Amino acid sequence: MPTIGFAGLGLMGAGIARNILKAGHPLKALAHRNRQPIEALLAEGATEVDDAAALGAECDIVFLCVTGAPQVEALIDGEDGIRAGARRANRQDLVIVDCSTSEPTLTRRLAESLAADGITLIDAPLGGTPTQADAGELQAIVGADKATLDKVRPVLESWAAKILHVGPVGAGHTMKLLNNFLAMGYGAIFAEALTIGAKAGITPQTFDSVIRGSRMDSGFYRTFFQYVLERDRNAHRFTLANAHKDTRYLASLAEAMNVEAGVARAVRDLYASAESQGDGDRFVPELSDIIAARHQLSLA
């Protein structure tokens, strides 16, 4: 079996890495700032590496699951990055699978430059939650050529219940941004609707009694309102900082494509305002409390 490298043992990455290891793949991992995930993997048979260069030198397939484009670029092209390690080891068959939510323009640029070193980069951003990551039930939204996808598919299948091939490299990140624009757009709409309703005397419970089971119901709605109604912070563990990052990437992509995207900019700006006031580490459903508080309301 190919040796797998992994960088980014956060809420999603730790579950993915654990499922790769459970499937029997030799796993070499780079520690996250939180040592708990790497210690758990080491106890199950993984090997820790000191830097990203070791991943490039010692692994056949390297998975990245980090915050965004700057982190991806640093891991690949830093002084002790994956490219440098692969060059030193004269690796000509390395595949990098970027599971982060990153910028498609960077993805395509890195893929082109890495190809000159015999390294293949594909994008496979994630659909799902940390709970689904732990259970091996995520979606992989893949931008790749068919031959490379066939090569990595057995590893993807260890953690993804559904593998969606959406086009060439960069297409995965594009589709992921579109998906997250829809989700974060709904989050912004729910938050503002609840505040408008509360001002008019409509409680969250009344709101839910109309929407739940209607055509406006959805999985995202259910997890959002699991927090609103039950105060369960773990219902939807996606931070407002990440929401701002993803909507910012989407608005930038629209601008690069010469698309007038006023809705995208408005959604981005709402999440930016939440992060700027110090709430970036709170989760998306908590935006409802933030918006309500700005109007001297409480939804609890």
Side-chain angles (χ1 to χ4, degrees), residues 183-193 220 224 267 270-271 284 287 291:
M184 298 308 107
Y186 272 119
I189 290 169
F190 294 157
E192 289 198 349
F220 182 91
F224 194 100
V267 172
L270 186 61
Y271 286 103
V284 166
L287 183 65
I291 301 302

Side-chain angles (χ1 to χ4, degrees), residues 35-190:
R35 289 288 306 176
Q36 190 278 328
I38 188 71
E39 295 296 345
L41 289 172
L42 294 176
E44 296 175 21
T47 302
E48 184 175 1
V49 297
D50 293 330
D51 53 33
L55 297 178
E58 300 170 16
C59 300
D60 302 298
I61 302 170
V62 176
F63 284 84
L64 309 180
C65 191
V66 292
T67 303
Q71 293 79 17
V72 170
E73 192 165 23
L75 280 167
I76 290 174
D77 274 340
E79 183 178 351
D80 291 312
I82 295 168
R83 189 200 300 261
R87 280 176 172 171
R88 290 198 290 266
N90 196 28
R91 295 298 302 266
Q92 294 291 312
D93 56 353
L94 176 65
V95 177
I96 301 172
V97 184
D98 184 10
C99 297
S100 316
T101 301
S102 190
E103 294 188 90
T105 50
L106 173 69
T107 304
R108 290 190 290 268
R109 176 168 60 80
L110 284 173
E112 184 177 351
S113 68
L114 286 164
D117 287 312
I119 301 169
T120 302
L121 171 69
I122 69 172
D123 45 325
L126 314 171
T129 65
T131 299
Q132 289 172 302
D134 290 338
E137 297 174 351
L138 292 171
Q139 286 185 344
I141 307 169
V142 183
D145 63 276
K146 183 179 183 302
T148 304
L149 175 55
D150 289 344
K151 181 176 181 179
V152 303
R153 183 181 292 274
V155 190
L156 297 179
E157 288 175 341
S158 71
W159 54 262
K162 184 180 290 186
I163 298 169
L164 302 167
H165 188 195
V166 296
V169 63
H173 282 145
T174 299
M175 188 62 233
K176 174 62 173 177
L177 291 180
L178 294 171
N179 177 85
N180 282 18
F181 170 46
L182 294 176
M184 298 308 107
Y186 272 119
I189 290 169
F190 294 157

